[in-house]
């Protein structure tokens, strides 16, 4: 895998989805932070493109998908400009890294991600973040539909439970996604 064509997508590592006591906290999110930091460090060392993909919503919830409208009405989450919508302190973007916002599970729906990746000559996507059955899986399937090779960093991705995570990783692996561990990433990038 040619490193000039690789980019890292960090999905939804935001306060509302990661921190204790937040409305949409994913149980497995805290556990992936050290590995996510390591993968991010590898990409930074190689000066490879990094995309921080964040979910944000308008305060009135008018852009929340139908399956989450009621939940948002009761407890808003990832509202534009709030602490909850911000990227966690451990993964704050550096100058030159890209931050793209989305309102749906896939990082490709309603964003300029595909255009940016193609303009940068990217063909391989490394994906980390949360949550495996939702935003990770949807982004992975869309990436394959857009003809990108996908590398899922298994121990830098989390879900509400290990059982849910494993089932979804198996499904992604069965469609051709390469599944690796954090420790494998430097060897693949060098």
């Amino acid at each position: 895998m040619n490193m000039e064509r690789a980019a890292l997508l960090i999905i939804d590592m935001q306060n509302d989805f990661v921190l204790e006591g937040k409305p949409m906290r994913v149980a497995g999110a805290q556990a992936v932070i050290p590995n996510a930091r390591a993968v991010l460090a590898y990409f930074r060392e190689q000066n490879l493109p990094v995309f921080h993909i964040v979910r944000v919503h308008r305060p009135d919830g008018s852009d929340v998908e139908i399956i989450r409208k009621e939940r948002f009405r009761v407890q808003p989450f990832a509202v534009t400009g709030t602490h909850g919508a911000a990227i966690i302190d451990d993964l704050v973007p550096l100058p030159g890294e890209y931050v793209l916002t989305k309102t749906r599970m896939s990082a490709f729906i309603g964003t300029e991600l595909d255009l940016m990746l193609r303009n940068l000559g990217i063909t391989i996507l490394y994906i980390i973040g949360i949550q495996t059955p939702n935003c990770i899986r949807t982004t992975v399937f869309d990436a394959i539909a857009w003809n990108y090779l996908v590398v899922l960093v298994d121990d830098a991705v989390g879900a509400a439970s290990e059982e849910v995570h494993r089932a979804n990783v198996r499904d992604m692996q069965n469609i051709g996604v390469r599944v690796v561990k954090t420790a494998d990433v430097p060897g693949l990038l060098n």
Side-chain angles (χ1 to χ4, degrees), residues 50-185:
V50 173
F51 289 81
H52 299 264
I53 312 295
V54 295
R55 174 184 281 264
V56 295
H57 294 294
R58 290 180 173 86
D60 67 358
S62 59
D63 55 0
V64 175
E65 66 264 71
I66 194 166
I67 61 170
R68 292 188 175 161
K69 280 222 183 264
E70 182 59 26
R71 188 167 188 180
F72 188 91
R73 188 188 63 71
V74 173
Q75 175 64 66
F77 56 88
V79 175
T80 301
T82 65
H83 175 263
I87 295 168
I88 62 170
D89 291 342
D90 290 295
L91 301 173
V92 170
L94 294 179
E97 295 177 353
Y98 304 101
V99 178
L100 281 98
T101 61
K102 64 183 178 77
T103 59
R104 293 296 180 263
M105 291 182 195
S106 174
F108 288 92
I109 300 296
T111 73
E112 66 270 20
L113 180 59
D114 180 57
L115 175 65
M116 293 178 73
L117 293 170
R118 291 188 192 284
N119 282 341
L120 293 169
I122 303 300
T123 58
I124 303 163
L125 301 178
Y126 285 71
I127 298 183
I128 65 175
I130 54 170
Q131 142 151 274
T132 314
N134 299 344
C135 299
I136 299 295
R137 182 181 170 132
T138 308
T139 297
V140 164
F141 274 75
D142 283 353
I144 290 170
W146 286 104
N147 220 27
Y148 293 97
L149 296 172
V150 176
V151 177
L152 182 72
V153 186
D154 183 26
D155 56 356
V157 177
S161 73
E162 185 63 18
E163 178 184 6
V164 167
H165 175 71
R166 291 269 58 90
N168 282 275
V169 169
R170 273 192 307 276
D171 283 348
M172 289 183 272
Q173 196 167 26
N174 286 339
I175 64 162
V177 172
R178 184 169 183 181
V179 178
V180 303
K181 299 289 186 193
T182 298
D184 301 325
V185 173

Side-chain angles (χ1 to χ4, degrees), residues 13 17-18 25-33 129-131 157-162:
M13 291 299 285
F17 306 125
V18 175
R25 182 182 165 272
V26 175
Q30 285 288 328
V32 305
I33 293 172
I130 54 170
Q131 142 151 274
V157 177
S161 73
E162 185 63 18

Side-chain angles (χ1 to χ4, degrees), residues 1-8 43 47-51 117 120-126 188-189:
M1 293 188 175
N2 187 335
M3 71 179 186
E4 288 89 32
R5 295 183 179 173
L8 176 64
F43 272 78
N47 293 313
L48 293 170
V50 173
F51 289 81
L117 293 170
L120 293 169
I122 303 300
T123 58
I124 303 163
L125 301 178
Y126 285 71
L188 294 171
L189 294 178

